[in-house]
Amino acid sequence: MSERTQVVVIGGTSGIGRHFAQSCAERGDDVIITGRSEERTKGVAHEIGGRTRGLALDLADPERIAAALADVGRVDQLVLAALDRDHNTVRAYRPADAVRLLTVKLTGYTEVLHTLAPKMTDDSAAVLIGGLASHRPYPGSTSVTTANGGIGALVRTLAVELSPIRVSALHPSIVADTPFWSDKPAAREAAAAGALTKRPVTMEDCTHAIRFLLENRAINGVNLNIDGGEVLI
């Protein structure tokens, strides 16, 4: 079996997941990324290059997760970055949209760990991506706030149950250079203004933080905010 680091990024076709996967490929790691579309996922894997391959996986269909990941070998580092966006208010609630988002972030993430835990070693680590909506709700964030709050609780039970595998979570504020936020200058400027650092969070910041959570062997069960100090105000 290869001595290279074996990395799996769930939701690695765009945004934070893709940025982290790219950084791993550039280091010479063996990388698997997943996305909902097989064609697109394999295309992104080719673009990332190195020893990267793509697998089709839809976390909204948790019963099929095990089959989709059946040929994954050893997993040293696992990042769960897949998301589903949902602007959903209590007064105009859309249960179907809420169910999909919560299935992806909570049931789907858990089922991935259930599937891959036997392929992880005592030195393996996982990072789940949540978000600061858990602490800073906004109109329409009902489902997102619930999901990210759930991630914060989930990492604690995962760390206990999967020990000595380490499990932590990263909770970024608006990440200015992701595809979703890059064309929303007002939101980016507001995020920068609200941070004590007076600069927005970037995908590079997130990649550095994910690597810290994965590689520091004393870090476990941690929910790390990455927000430039925004939650202090």
Side-chain angles (χ1 to χ4, degrees), residues 62-134:
E63 297 293 339
R64 296 178 181 268
I65 288 173
L69 298 175
D71 71 339
V72 174
R74 188 186 81 233
V75 179
D76 298 316
Q77 298 181 350
L78 171 63
V79 175
L80 296 118
L83 56 80
D84 220 54
R85 297 193 181 276
D86 179 28
H87 186 84
N88 210 342
T89 68
V90 176
R91 295 185 185 277
Y93 198 54
R94 302 184 309 282
D97 291 343
V99 166
R100 179 178 174 87
L101 183 147
L102 294 170
T103 299
V104 166
K105 293 284 281 191
L106 301 179
T107 308
Y109 277 22
T110 306
E111 177 59 16
V112 168
L113 278 155
H114 165 250
T115 299
L116 294 183
K119 304 179 181 186
M120 302 174 81
T121 73
D122 289 356
D123 293 323
S124 296
V127 171
L128 287 62
I129 305 299
L132 280 188
S134 59

Side-chain angles (χ1 to χ4, degrees), residues 113 125-128 154-155 158-159 162 165-169 219-222:
L113 278 155
V127 171
L128 287 62
L154 182 59
V155 296
L158 291 173
L162 296 178
I165 296 169
R166 296 181 295 103
V167 185
S168 294
I219 294 296
N220 194 23
V222 167

Side-chain angles (χ1 to χ4, degrees), residues 6-221:
Q6 308 294 305
V7 181
V8 176
V9 182
I10 305 297
T13 59
S14 66
I16 296 168
R18 177 169 179 166
H19 193 280
F20 180 75
Q22 183 79 56
S23 76
C24 293
E26 291 171 357
R27 297 202 323 175
D29 299 337
D30 289 335
V31 182
I32 294 174
I33 63 169
T34 75
R36 286 191 287 263
S37 163
E38 181 174 5
E39 181 179 0
R40 181 168 185 268
T41 304
K42 289 184 175 180
V44 171
H46 178 73
E47 292 171 4
I48 290 174
R51 300 181 181 90
T52 305
R53 64 187 180 106
L55 297 176
L57 174 67
D58 187 354
L59 294 185
D61 190 359
E63 297 293 339
R64 296 178 181 268
I65 288 173
L69 298 175
D71 71 339
V72 174
R74 188 186 81 233
V75 179
D76 298 316
Q77 298 181 350
L78 171 63
V79 175
L80 296 118
L83 56 80
D84 220 54
R85 297 193 181 276
D86 179 28
H87 186 84
N88 210 342
T89 68
V90 176
R91 295 185 185 277
Y93 198 54
R94 302 184 309 282
D97 291 343
V99 166
R100 179 178 174 87
L101 183 147
L102 294 170
T103 299
V104 166
K105 293 284 281 191
L106 301 179
T107 308
Y109 277 22
T110 306
E111 177 59 16
V112 168
L113 278 155
H114 165 250
T115 299
L116 294 183
K119 304 179 181 186
M120 302 174 81
T121 73
D122 289 356
D123 293 323
S124 296
V127 171
L128 287 62
I129 305 299
L132 280 188
S134 59
H135 306 307
R136 290 284 181 91
Y138 52 84
S141 77
T142 300
S143 301
V144 176
T145 294
T146 301
N148 290 340
I151 290 292
L154 182 59
V155 296
R156 293 193 286 273
T157 189
L158 291 173
V160 170
E161 290 203 13
L162 296 178
S163 173
I165 296 169
R166 296 181 295 103
V167 185
S168 294
L170 184 71
H171 297 277
S173 58
I174 287 174
V175 182
D177 55 346
T178 57
F180 183 80
W181 292 110
S182 60
D183 64 348
K184 299 174 177 62
R188 296 200 319 271
E189 291 166 9
L196 294 177
T197 56
K198 300 306 177 185
R199 60 175 291 273
V201 175
T202 66
M203 290 191 288
E204 184 72 18
D205 297 327
C206 293
T207 285
H208 285 167
I210 292 168
R211 198 166 299 287
F212 163 72
L213 293 172
L214 288 171
E215 295 184 355
N216 188 308
R217 298 177 67 180
I219 294 296
N220 194 23

